[in-house]
Amino acid sequence: MTLRGRLTAAFLVVVLGPVLLGAFFVASTVTAVDRSRSTERLAVAASTVRTSVDALCQQLRAAADAVALTGDPAIAAGQLVGRGLAAAVLVTDVNGRVTYASPGAPPTPWQDCSEPATAPSGPVRALAARVDRRDPAGALLGTVAAAHLVDPAFVARLAVVTGVAVTLLDGGASAARFTHTTESREERDAVLAAAGATSGERVTESTKGRYVRRIGPSAGQPLPLVLSVPSERPPGLPVTLAGVVVLAGLLAVFTAWRLARVTTRPLVELAGAVDRVAHGDLTARVPVRSRDELGRLAAAFNRMTRETGSYVAALTSSRDQLRGHLAVLGDTLASTHDLQRILRVILHSAIAATGARAGAVLLVEAGGVLVAQCSEGLDGRWPAGNPDGSQGLRVPVGVGVVGAVAATGEPQRGRVEPTEAPTGEPRCRTYVAVPFATPGAATTPGGGATTTAPGGERSLDEAGAAAALGVLALYDRVGADEFDDDDLVTLRTFAGHAAVAVENVRVHEEAQRLSLTDPLTGLWNYRYLRESIRREVERASRFGRMLSVLALDLDRFKDVNDTYGHAAGDTVLAEFARRVRGEIREVDLAFRQGGEEFVLLLPETDARGAAIVAERLGAAVRETPIAVEAYAGPIVVTVSVGIAVYPDHGSTGREVLEAADDALYAAKAAGRDTYRAAEARPDVPMCELPVPSGAVSPPDGLPRAGRPVHAQREPGGPARSESTAGVPESNRSGPAHARPDPADEPEATTGEGSRAGPDAGRPGPGGGASSGPQPPRQSRGR
């Protein structure tokens, strides 16, 4: 809302508030007086009704007594009816039989005046008083009842006596039906609805503007009646009050608008000038119309715009430059996990923002050494004995400027005197260094992260490095002698970005690792199994190597869970995984496929080498029972193994894995605690390889796809190798696999990557061929 609108609203509140309050007071006062007077009229009418009905009951009771005292009730009853003292007389004997009834008597039952204050069960036709009839000796002869008709005339007489409208309800329990009423047809339904909505004898108002009150049935007044009186409020009062309020509102709005317009004109001009300045027009000026507060404000605004214009040009260039650096920094942080690239962008932005000539980002590595990850402008700044430049920037934590910053966790800035001896850092005149730590680490008042020893002093961690994750250092500010506090604050911001970047990269790498490993055993999971077996099959096919797949299953593992519990089962699985890692090479891959099922991928391994591994795994599990905490004795488990070899048992990773699974079922069927090799596929098409014929190994010493000794072609069919399916015997001849020749296979990794002979399957330091980046493989050393 504008200022003019607020002033108008304030004036309207001041003017219209009393008007509205007065109208509300008049209306509420008139309503309260009207209700009070109507309530009083209804109270008088109710008292009159009770008095009238009680007098009628007394008259009927006297008439009944007169009949009961005569010897001939019929004559006495006729006389009473003839005189109009009762409408009818009813005489009954002790058994309740009617002995006399006046001609034309209303139908019974009659509402008895002396009955308790209960609602009648039906329409009230007559009001009666009953007395006992006795003989001179006092013996009961029967009863005499004198009645008076309750008809429209009776209700009309009550209305005349009370001065209000009277309605006799039908049955008294509900106001939905009535017997007789003096209400008009238009008012009747509204009065009955209001009477039905109230309880007791409270006064309520109907929708037609009448006040309604229910009375009876009660002691001395057994008739269920509804009394109503019209409201005495002037009929045109609401319209009159509304008209007065509207007229006063219109006058107030016009007056307020005029006053607000005159008052806010200088402010509107000032606001317009401010808008023009906000949109970049620093030539805007405000006319000074007076010497009051608004005039002084306009003069101050004009002076401010003149002074501001001199700073805009200089600030625009600096702003655009800083905005560009922040945009590049934000895009880099959001779009990549390349730590080197992120740190380079952070360093470049920090140098541009502070005007430094050179700088470096150093991270703490194992052993407590700060190593430069990226640097800029450090060429020619090294002492004579350190010609390596920024590539050799390695500073122990606690040594020199950056080492002290990493050790204490507090930023430093200052000047280096020419007489100071170099500490392995680049030469400079001025410097500023800020530590950065993992987000969430404890920080010192200076802004750096630190750890606290039990004695309360800062200490290094186990690796000898401070709690600081790294240091951002800048050297030799352009155009100034030293870096100031503003540069320190700016550098802390970029150091925070560097900490977030390092942490994000680490979290990303950890998330990748967790997505590919099984949390219980630490082995690769089924997701990585599908990717790895595809990659290893492609590698074996490309280099003409073999790939063995072992499917492992712990025998009767369900009995372990059922007997010892799932916690013990988890312990068994974890220990089994540890023993599997201890029996395989660095190049081999171990997976947990699910439950107690595991899979091993053995690159460059034939069926015999796979059988050796299977025998060793079975012995490692069988010979040493697994100790489980909280149980008296160790748990003895065994393992069944199925062996399949690519390409003998399948041309794809899925086929080889299925063949190994089938062999596992065969091992289970053979009594468990053993291994079986898959059956060779019939008529498997094979490419004939140029290998030497004879019982000698190939020149590179590695097993080839196909028969390792010689190739054999069936008449009319493709060449294929002899099957090694079934259980490999220990006396089979031929090497498991041999080493690749670096000259023949430049892409293959050299090293101890083969199995040949009984001990060939032991873990070794070597590795197999690689097909691109992949998570590290499990081995004994991990």
Side-chain angles (χ1 to χ4, degrees):
M1 182 183 292
T2 62
L3 178 61
R4 181 176 298 177
R6 291 197 296 271
L7 290 176
T8 304
F11 184 82
L12 291 178
V13 169
V14 172
V15 174
L16 291 182
V19 174
L20 293 176
L21 289 177
F24 175 77
F25 176 76
V26 171
S28 60
T29 302
V30 171
T31 301
V33 171
D34 178 54
R35 184 180 182 87
S36 175
R37 294 182 61 182
S38 299
T39 302
E40 184 178 356
R41 288 182 60 191
L42 290 175
V44 173
S47 177
T48 304
V49 167
R50 291 191 182 94
T51 302
S52 300
V53 172
D54 183 66
L56 178 60
C57 289
Q58 294 296 334
Q59 176 182 329
L60 294 176
R61 189 172 290 107
D65 285 337
V67 173
L69 294 176
T70 60
D72 189 354
I75 297 174
Q79 292 176 352
L80 290 175
V81 172
R83 294 177 182 177
L85 298 177
V89 176
L90 182 66
V91 181
T92 59
D93 58 12
V94 294
N95 295 323
R97 290 191 300 271
V98 177
T99 59
Y100 173 78
S102 299
T108 57
W110 299 338
Q111 184 66 27
D112 196 337
C113 292
S114 61
E115 287 183 357
T118 58
S121 59
V124 178
R125 304 300 183 187
L127 188 62
R130 299 178 185 274
V131 296
D132 293 335
R133 181 169 170 262
R134 300 179 182 275
D135 59 8
L140 182 64
L141 299 178
T143 61
V144 177
H148 189 281
L149 288 177
V150 179
D151 54 4
F154 175 78
V155 175
R157 286 195 299 273
L158 288 178
V160 171
V161 171
T162 58
V164 298
V166 180
T167 300
L168 176 64
L169 299 179
D170 185 0
S174 171
R177 297 184 302 173
F178 66 96
T179 304
H180 307 296
T181 183
T182 61
E183 298 281 358
S184 63
R185 189 179 299 273
E186 294 79 9
E187 304 286 346
R188 182 179 59 199
D189 295 334
V191 169
L192 293 177
T198 186
S199 60
E201 295 190 2
R202 291 183 297 179
V203 177
T204 185
E205 188 175 2
S206 69
T207 57
K208 296 294 185 178
R210 296 182 68 86
Y211 290 96
V212 180
R213 177 176 177 176
R214 294 180 61 174
I215 62 171
S218 60
Q221 202 288 103
L223 299 178
L225 299 176
V226 175
L227 309 180
S228 70
V229 294
S231 173
E232 296 181 359
R233 289 193 301 268
L237 179 62
V239 177
T240 303
L241 292 177
V244 170
V245 171
V246 170
L247 181 59
L250 293 176
L251 293 176
V253 167
F254 177 76
T255 305
W257 178 81
R258 290 291 300 175
L259 290 176
R261 185 173 183 275
V262 173
T263 304
T264 59
R265 181 180 178 184
L267 295 177
V268 171
E269 293 175 346
L270 179 61
V274 169
D275 289 338
R276 292 171 58 189
V277 171
H279 288 85
D281 183 9
L282 295 179
T283 63
R285 298 293 182 268
V286 180
V288 181
R289 302 181 180 276
S290 61
R291 295 182 179 275
D292 57 3
E293 290 80 1
L294 293 178
R296 294 198 301 270
L297 179 62
F301 175 81
N302 294 336
R303 185 172 59 253
M304 179 189 66
T305 54
R306 286 193 298 269
E307 295 175 354
T308 303
S310 61
Y311 297 104
V312 171
L315 292 177
T316 301
S317 176
S318 176
R319 179 202 61 189
D320 294 341
Q321 184 180 12
L322 181 59
R323 185 179 298 170
H325 289 307
L326 292 178
V328 172
L329 178 59
D331 293 342
T332 304
L333 289 175
S335 62
T336 182
H337 289 95
D338 184 355
L339 181 60
Q340 297 297 325
R341 178 186 173 189
I342 294 174
L343 294 181
R344 283 195 301 271
V345 172
I346 291 174
L347 177 60
H348 179 72
S349 302
I351 290 175
T354 58
R357 296 180 183 274
V361 179
L362 303 93
L363 295 183
V364 178
E365 294 190 353
V369 179
L370 283 165
V371 180
Q373 303 297 318
C374 62
S375 61
E376 184 173 340
L378 296 182
D379 296 338
R381 292 179 173 269
W382 301 98
N386 186 11
D388 295 337
S390 62
Q391 300 299 327
L393 182 53
R394 299 174 61 88
V395 181
V397 173
V399 178
V401 174
V402 296
V405 170
T408 62
E410 295 185 0
Q412 293 187 16
R413 64 181 179 88
R415 177 183 296 273
V416 178
E417 298 299 332
T419 58
E420 293 184 5
T423 60
E425 298 182 49
R427 292 192 303 266
C428 63
R429 294 188 303 273
T430 59
Y431 65 89
V432 58
V434 176
F436 55 88
T438 302
T443 58
T444 65
T450 183
T451 58
T452 303
E457 298 180 354
R458 294 186 181 90
S459 63
L460 304 182
D461 59 15
E462 295 179 358
L469 191 64
V471 176
L472 175 58
L474 301 182
Y475 304 100
D476 294 342
R477 180 181 179 187
V478 177
D481 292 338
E482 294 186 17
F483 293 93
D484 54 23
D485 292 337
D486 292 337
D487 296 326
L488 194 61
V489 172
T490 302
L491 204 59
R492 283 176 181 171
T493 302
F494 287 103
H497 289 305
V500 172
V502 174
E503 182 65 14
N504 286 344
V505 171
R506 291 180 176 178
V507 170
H508 177 71
E509 292 175 352
E510 180 66 11
Q512 280 189 321
R513 187 189 69 80
L514 293 177
S515 68
L516 298 177
T517 56
D518 175 60
L520 176 61
T521 62
L523 302 181
W524 303 120
N525 58 20
Y526 179 70
R527 174 185 177 186
Y528 190 54
L529 170 62
R530 293 183 299 174
E531 176 185 346
S532 299
I533 196 170
R534 176 191 56 79
R535 183 179 63 248
E536 294 297 339
V537 166
E538 290 178 356
R539 179 184 300 162
S541 175
R542 181 166 62 252
F543 296 116
R545 304 287 193 256
M546 284 185 174
L547 172 67
S548 292
V549 179
L550 272 63
L552 295 77
D553 187 274
L554 292 177
D555 298 326
R556 297 183 176 89
F557 184 72
K558 183 177 182 301
D559 296 341
V560 175
N561 283 333
D562 295 343
T563 304
Y564 303 100
H566 287 278
D570 292 344
T571 303
V572 171
L573 291 175
E575 175 62 19
F576 175 73
R578 188 190 66 80
R579 297 184 185 182
V580 167
R581 287 194 298 266
E583 298 296 335
I584 61 176
R585 305 168 301 175
E586 180 73 19
V587 296
D588 299 330
L589 296 174
F591 306 86
R592 183 185 180 192
Q593 191 172 11
E596 69 275 17
E597 299 180 0
F598 299 82
V599 174
L600 298 181
L601 299 185
L602 310 180
E604 301 178 357
T605 305
D606 59 5
R608 183 181 179 190
I612 294 173
V613 176
E615 290 177 351
R616 194 161 57 246
L617 287 174
V621 176
R622 180 191 320 108
E623 295 174 358
T624 306
I626 299 175
V628 178
E629 187 177 356
Y631 292 99
I635 300 176
V636 179
V637 295
T638 58
V639 62
S640 298
V641 184
I643 302 173
V645 181
Y646 171 84
D648 294 345
H649 303 129
S651 58
T652 64
R654 182 174 181 179
E655 292 178 358
V656 178
L657 190 59
E658 291 177 352
D661 201 40
D662 293 339
L664 174 62
Y665 285 126
K668 291 283 188 181
R672 297 182 175 86
D673 193 16
T674 184
Y675 65 92
R676 289 290 185 270
E679 297 181 358
R681 298 182 300 169
D683 298 328
V684 177
M686 303 295 292
C687 296
E688 185 172 350
L689 299 176
V691 298
S693 177
V696 295
S697 298
D700 57 6
L702 294 179
R704 300 290 186 179
R707 183 177 178 80
V709 177
H710 65 274
Q712 173 179 314
R713 179 183 297 276
E714 295 180 359
R720 67 176 182 176
S721 63
E722 287 188 3
S723 172
T724 57
V727 181
E729 300 294 339
S730 60
N731 60 355
R732 284 180 184 258
S733 62
H737 53 44
R739 303 173 187 270
D741 189 350
D744 296 337
E745 308 293 349
E747 299 183 27
T749 301
T750 61
E752 201 281 315
S754 62
R755 286 192 181 89
D759 298 327
R762 292 291 180 182
S770 176
S771 61
Q774 58 178 302
R777 307 172 186 269
Q778 289 92 344
S779 67
R780 181 192 298 256
R782 300 186 59 227

